[in-house]
mmCIF file of all heavy atoms in Angstrom:
data_model
loop_
_atom_site.group_PDB
_atom_site.id
_atom_site.type_symbol
_atom_site.label_atom_id
_atom_site.label_comp_id
_atom_site.label_asym_id
_atom_site.label_seq_id
_atom_site.Cartn_x
_atom_site.Cartn_y
_atom_site.Cartn_z
ATOM 1 N N SER R 203 10.971 -14.384 0.933
ATOM 2 C CA SER R 203 11.200 -15.803 0.639
ATOM 3 C C SER R 203 10.273 -16.384 -0.430
ATOM 4 O O SER R 203 10.737 -17.139 -1.298
ATOM 5 C CB SER R 203 11.099 -16.625 1.920
ATOM 6 O OG SER R 203 12.189 -16.331 2.777
ATOM 7 N N PRO R 213 6.774 -22.275 -6.974
ATOM 8 C CA PRO R 213 5.778 -21.202 -6.849
ATOM 9 C C PRO R 213 4.768 -21.416 -5.730
ATOM 10 O O PRO R 213 4.037 -20.489 -5.377
ATOM 11 C CB PRO R 213 5.093 -21.198 -8.215
ATOM 12 C CG PRO R 213 5.255 -22.599 -8.719
ATOM 13 C CD PRO R 213 6.595 -23.047 -8.218
ATOM 14 N N ARG R 220 3.179 -18.594 12.824
ATOM 15 C CA ARG R 220 2.612 -19.458 13.850
ATOM 16 C C ARG R 220 3.021 -18.994 15.238
ATOM 17 O O ARG R 220 4.135 -18.517 15.450
ATOM 18 C CB ARG R 220 3.091 -20.916 13.664
ATOM 19 C CG ARG R 220 2.565 -21.608 12.409
ATOM 20 C CD ARG R 220 1.063 -21.836 12.481
ATOM 21 N NE ARG R 220 0.564 -22.668 11.403
ATOM 22 C CZ ARG R 220 0.168 -22.208 10.218
ATOM 23 N NH1 ARG R 220 0.240 -20.897 9.963
ATOM 24 N NH2 ARG R 220 -0.299 -23.014 9.288
ATOM 25 N N MET R 287 27.882 -14.054 1.796
ATOM 26 C CA MET R 287 27.774 -12.625 2.072
ATOM 27 C C MET R 287 29.152 -11.995 2.313
ATOM 28 O O MET R 287 29.482 -10.932 1.763
ATOM 29 C CB MET R 287 26.877 -12.450 3.304
ATOM 30 C CG MET R 287 26.622 -11.055 3.776
ATOM 31 S SD MET R 287 25.585 -11.206 5.276
ATOM 32 C CE MET R 287 25.362 -9.485 5.694
ATOM 33 N N ALA R 296 39.734 -13.409 8.581
ATOM 34 C CA ALA R 296 40.825 -14.149 9.228
ATOM 35 C C ALA R 296 41.679 -13.212 10.067
ATOM 36 O O ALA R 296 42.100 -12.142 9.614
ATOM 37 C CB ALA R 296 41.678 -14.839 8.172
ATOM 38 N N VAL R 302 29.685 -9.551 17.206
ATOM 39 C CA VAL R 302 28.415 -10.040 16.679
ATOM 40 C C VAL R 302 27.303 -9.503 17.566
ATOM 41 O O VAL R 302 27.228 -9.851 18.749
ATOM 42 C CB VAL R 302 28.382 -11.579 16.634
ATOM 43 C CG1 VAL R 302 27.037 -12.059 16.108
ATOM 44 C CG2 VAL R 302 29.525 -12.111 15.777
ATOM 45 N N ASN R 334 27.937 -6.084 26.523
ATOM 46 C CA ASN R 334 26.630 -5.545 26.183
ATOM 47 C C ASN R 334 26.765 -4.149 25.599
ATOM 48 O O ASN R 334 27.877 -3.640 25.401
ATOM 49 C CB ASN R 334 25.712 -5.557 27.410
ATOM 50 C CG ASN R 334 26.328 -4.838 28.588
ATOM 51 O OD1 ASN R 334 26.532 -3.625 28.543
ATOM 52 N ND2 ASN R 334 26.664 -5.582 29.643
ATOM 53 N N ASP R 339 32.738 0.184 24.623
ATOM 54 C CA ASP R 339 34.025 0.854 24.508
ATOM 55 C C ASP R 339 35.192 -0.094 24.739
ATOM 56 O O ASP R 339 36.315 0.154 24.287
ATOM 57 C CB ASP R 339 34.106 2.031 25.482
ATOM 58 C CG ASP R 339 33.836 1.629 26.919
ATOM 59 O OD1 ASP R 339 33.082 0.660 27.144
ATOM 60 O OD2 ASP R 339 34.381 2.287 27.819
ATOM 61 N N GLY R 345 37.637 -5.287 14.363
ATOM 62 C CA GLY R 345 37.850 -5.093 12.929
ATOM 63 C C GLY R 345 36.622 -5.394 12.085
ATOM 64 O O GLY R 345 36.470 -4.861 10.990
ATOM 65 N N VAL R 353 17.061 -5.018 14.476
ATOM 66 C CA VAL R 353 17.068 -3.554 14.538
ATOM 67 C C VAL R 353 17.465 -2.987 13.176
ATOM 68 O O VAL R 353 18.479 -3.371 12.589
ATOM 69 C CB VAL R 353 18.048 -3.049 15.616
ATOM 70 C CG1 VAL R 353 18.098 -1.517 15.602
ATOM 71 C CG2 VAL R 353 17.628 -3.544 16.996
ATOM 72 N N LEU R 384 19.945 -0.979 2.300
ATOM 73 C CA LEU R 384 20.991 -0.405 3.140
ATOM 74 C C LEU R 384 20.375 -0.021 4.475
ATOM 75 O O LEU R 384 19.567 0.903 4.560
ATOM 76 C CB LEU R 384 21.613 0.826 2.477
ATOM 77 C CG LEU R 384 22.439 0.589 1.219
ATOM 78 C CD1 LEU R 384 22.888 1.915 0.615
ATOM 79 C CD2 LEU R 384 23.659 -0.285 1.520
ATOM 80 N N GLU R 390 25.853 4.185 7.506
ATOM 81 C CA GLU R 390 26.953 4.816 8.242
ATOM 82 C C GLU R 390 28.292 4.259 7.778
ATOM 83 O O GLU R 390 29.270 5.005 7.624
ATOM 84 C CB GLU R 390 26.771 4.600 9.741
ATOM 85 C CG GLU R 390 27.744 5.397 10.585
ATOM 86 C CD GLU R 390 27.512 5.269 12.076
ATOM 87 O OE1 GLU R 390 26.496 4.663 12.482
ATOM 88 O OE2 GLU R 390 28.365 5.762 12.838
ATOM 89 N N ALA R 433 24.460 -14.612 -7.408
ATOM 90 C CA ALA R 433 24.635 -13.200 -7.779
ATOM 91 C C ALA R 433 23.525 -12.743 -8.712
ATOM 92 O O ALA R 433 22.988 -11.643 -8.572
ATOM 93 C CB ALA R 433 26.003 -13.009 -8.439
ATOM 94 N N ILE R 447 14.286 6.675 -8.097
ATOM 95 C CA ILE R 447 14.019 7.986 -7.506
ATOM 96 C C ILE R 447 14.498 9.080 -8.455
ATOM 97 O O ILE R 447 15.643 9.046 -8.922
ATOM 98 C CB ILE R 447 14.721 8.120 -6.142
ATOM 99 C CG1 ILE R 447 14.282 6.965 -5.228
ATOM 100 C CG2 ILE R 447 14.413 9.465 -5.495
ATOM 101 C CD1 ILE R 447 15.106 6.830 -3.967
ATOM 102 N N MET R 451 15.788 19.994 -10.979
ATOM 103 C CA MET R 451 15.240 21.338 -10.832
ATOM 104 C C MET R 451 13.723 21.333 -11.016
ATOM 105 O O MET R 451 13.184 20.479 -11.734
ATOM 106 C CB MET R 451 15.875 22.263 -11.859
ATOM 107 C CG MET R 451 17.310 22.658 -11.523
ATOM 108 S SD MET R 451 17.376 23.840 -10.152
ATOM 109 C CE MET R 451 16.730 25.317 -10.963
ATOM 110 N N LYS R 456 10.224 15.670 -13.969
ATOM 111 C CA LYS R 456 10.276 14.487 -13.104
ATOM 112 C C LYS R 456 8.960 13.702 -13.113
ATOM 113 O O LYS R 456 8.958 12.474 -13.235
ATOM 114 C CB LYS R 456 10.646 14.908 -11.675
ATOM 115 C CG LYS R 456 12.018 15.578 -11.565
ATOM 116 C CD LYS R 456 12.365 15.946 -10.147
ATOM 117 C CE LYS R 456 11.477 17.029 -9.575
ATOM 118 N NZ LYS R 456 11.688 18.333 -10.213
ATOM 119 N N LEU R 463 7.968 5.859 -16.821
ATOM 120 C CA LEU R 463 8.587 4.679 -16.210
ATOM 121 C C LEU R 463 7.531 3.727 -15.665
ATOM 122 O O LEU R 463 7.657 2.507 -15.748
ATOM 123 C CB LEU R 463 9.529 5.115 -15.080
ATOM 124 C CG LEU R 463 10.942 5.519 -15.489
ATOM 125 C CD1 LEU R 463 11.629 6.280 -14.351
ATOM 126 C CD2 LEU R 463 11.777 4.300 -15.874
ATOM 127 N N GLU R 476 2.596 15.817 -4.524
ATOM 128 C CA GLU R 476 1.174 15.462 -4.400
ATOM 129 C C GLU R 476 0.861 14.936 -3.004
ATOM 130 O O GLU R 476 -0.206 15.231 -2.438
ATOM 131 C CB GLU R 476 0.815 14.405 -5.454
ATOM 132 C CG GLU R 476 0.822 14.924 -6.884
ATOM 133 C CD GLU R 476 0.478 13.834 -7.884
ATOM 134 O OE1 GLU R 476 0.251 12.672 -7.451
ATOM 135 O OE2 GLU R 476 0.443 14.138 -9.101
ATOM 136 N N PRO R 487 1.519 26.434 -3.263
ATOM 137 C CA PRO R 487 1.582 27.893 -3.092
ATOM 138 C C PRO R 487 0.890 28.359 -1.808
ATOM 139 O O PRO R 487 1.362 29.293 -1.141
ATOM 140 C CB PRO R 487 0.869 28.421 -4.337
ATOM 141 C CG PRO R 487 1.089 27.365 -5.373
ATOM 142 C CD PRO R 487 1.017 26.071 -4.608
ATOM 143 N N THR R 503 9.948 16.171 4.293
ATOM 144 C CA THR R 503 10.752 15.130 4.924
ATOM 145 C C THR R 503 9.879 14.005 5.453
ATOM 146 O O THR R 503 10.228 12.820 5.349
ATOM 147 C CB THR R 503 11.612 15.719 6.057
ATOM 148 O OG1 THR R 503 12.569 16.621 5.494
ATOM 149 C CG2 THR R 503 12.355 14.628 6.831
ATOM 150 N N LYS R 504 8.722 14.356 6.014
ATOM 151 C CA LYS R 504 7.818 13.327 6.516
ATOM 152 C C LYS R 504 7.333 12.427 5.385
ATOM 153 O O LYS R 504 7.291 11.190 5.522
ATOM 154 C CB LYS R 504 6.623 13.985 7.216
ATOM 155 C CG LYS R 504 5.628 12.989 7.818
ATOM 156 C CD LYS R 504 6.269 12.152 8.912
ATOM 157 C CE LYS R 504 5.276 11.227 9.568
ATOM 158 N NZ LYS R 504 5.932 10.337 10.574
ATOM 159 N N GLY R 514 9.988 -1.042 -4.486
ATOM 160 C CA GLY R 514 9.464 -1.280 -5.823
ATOM 161 C C GLY R 514 8.650 -0.163 -6.418
ATOM 162 O O GLY R 514 7.843 -0.402 -7.318
ATOM 163 N N ILE R 516 8.321 4.145 -7.890
ATOM 164 C CA ILE R 516 9.004 5.253 -8.558
ATOM 165 C C ILE R 516 8.680 6.511 -7.771
ATOM 166 O O ILE R 516 7.502 6.842 -7.587
ATOM 167 C CB ILE R 516 8.544 5.402 -10.019
ATOM 168 C CG1 ILE R 516 8.852 4.124 -10.805
ATOM 169 C CG2 ILE R 516 9.209 6.606 -10.673
ATOM 170 C CD1 ILE R 516 8.105 4.014 -12.106
ATOM 171 N N LEU R 519 10.550 13.495 -6.785
ATOM 172 C CA LEU R 519 10.795 14.437 -5.697
ATOM 173 C C LEU R 519 10.563 15.870 -6.135
ATOM 174 O O LEU R 519 10.742 16.222 -7.307
ATOM 175 C CB LEU R 519 12.240 14.316 -5.202
ATOM 176 C CG LEU R 519 12.731 12.938 -4.778
ATOM 177 C CD1 LEU R 519 14.186 13.038 -4.321
ATOM 178 C CD2 LEU R 519 11.864 12.362 -3.677
ATOM 179 N N ILE R 539 19.073 7.029 -7.150
ATOM 180 C CA ILE R 539 18.598 8.398 -7.376
ATOM 181 C C ILE R 539 19.153 8.942 -8.692
ATOM 182 O O ILE R 539 20.371 8.941 -8.915
ATOM 183 C CB ILE R 539 19.007 9.312 -6.204
ATOM 184 C CG1 ILE R 539 18.520 8.717 -4.873
ATOM 185 C CG2 ILE R 539 18.442 10.723 -6.403
ATOM 186 C CD1 ILE R 539 19.018 9.465 -3.637
ATOM 187 N N SER R 568 22.411 27.493 -9.495
ATOM 188 C CA SER R 568 23.771 27.660 -8.984
ATOM 189 C C SER R 568 23.871 27.259 -7.514
ATOM 190 O O SER R 568 24.818 26.581 -7.107
ATOM 191 C CB SER R 568 24.209 29.119 -9.158
ATOM 192 O OG SER R 568 25.488 29.320 -8.611
ATOM 193 N N TYR R 573 24.154 20.274 -4.009
ATOM 194 C CA TYR R 573 23.197 19.372 -3.354
ATOM 195 C C TYR R 573 22.768 18.251 -4.310
ATOM 196 O O TYR R 573 22.678 17.078 -3.921
ATOM 197 C CB TYR R 573 21.973 20.150 -2.873
ATOM 198 C CG TYR R 573 22.289 21.187 -1.831
ATOM 199 C CD1 TYR R 573 22.451 22.524 -2.182
ATOM 200 C CD2 TYR R 573 22.416 20.834 -0.488
ATOM 201 C CE1 TYR R 573 22.745 23.486 -1.231
ATOM 202 C CE2 TYR R 573 22.701 21.785 0.476
ATOM 203 C CZ TYR R 573 22.863 23.119 0.101
ATOM 204 O OH TYR R 573 23.156 24.060 1.051
ATOM 205 N N ASP R 583 20.111 13.110 -19.141
ATOM 206 C CA ASP R 583 19.623 14.185 -19.997
ATOM 207 C C ASP R 583 18.142 13.973 -20.317
ATOM 208 O O ASP R 583 17.735 12.875 -20.700
ATOM 209 C CB ASP R 583 20.447 14.224 -21.290
ATOM 210 C CG ASP R 583 19.961 15.308 -22.233
ATOM 211 O OD1 ASP R 583 20.324 16.476 -22.024
ATOM 212 O OD2 ASP R 583 19.194 14.975 -23.173
ATOM 213 N N GLU R 593 13.613 5.138 -20.686
ATOM 214 C CA GLU R 593 14.359 3.963 -21.133
ATOM 215 C C GLU R 593 15.804 4.012 -20.658
ATOM 216 O O GLU R 593 16.368 2.994 -20.222
ATOM 217 C CB GLU R 593 14.308 3.862 -22.659
ATOM 218 C CG GLU R 593 12.955 3.404 -23.194
ATOM 219 C CD GLU R 593 12.897 3.402 -24.705
ATOM 220 O OE1 GLU R 593 13.947 3.675 -25.336
ATOM 221 O OE2 GLU R 593 11.818 3.144 -25.263
#
Side-chain angles (χ1 to χ4, degrees):
S203 291
R220 293 293 189 272
M287 180 182 181
V302 179
N334 55 66
D339 55 331
V353 177
L384 292 175
E390 189 176 353
I447 304 168
M451 285 287 289
K456 299 181 293 292
L463 276 164
E476 291 179 359
T503 294
K504 182 63 177 176
I516 300 163
L519 306 180
I539 306 173
S568 177
Y573 297 98
D583 179 80
E593 286 176 5

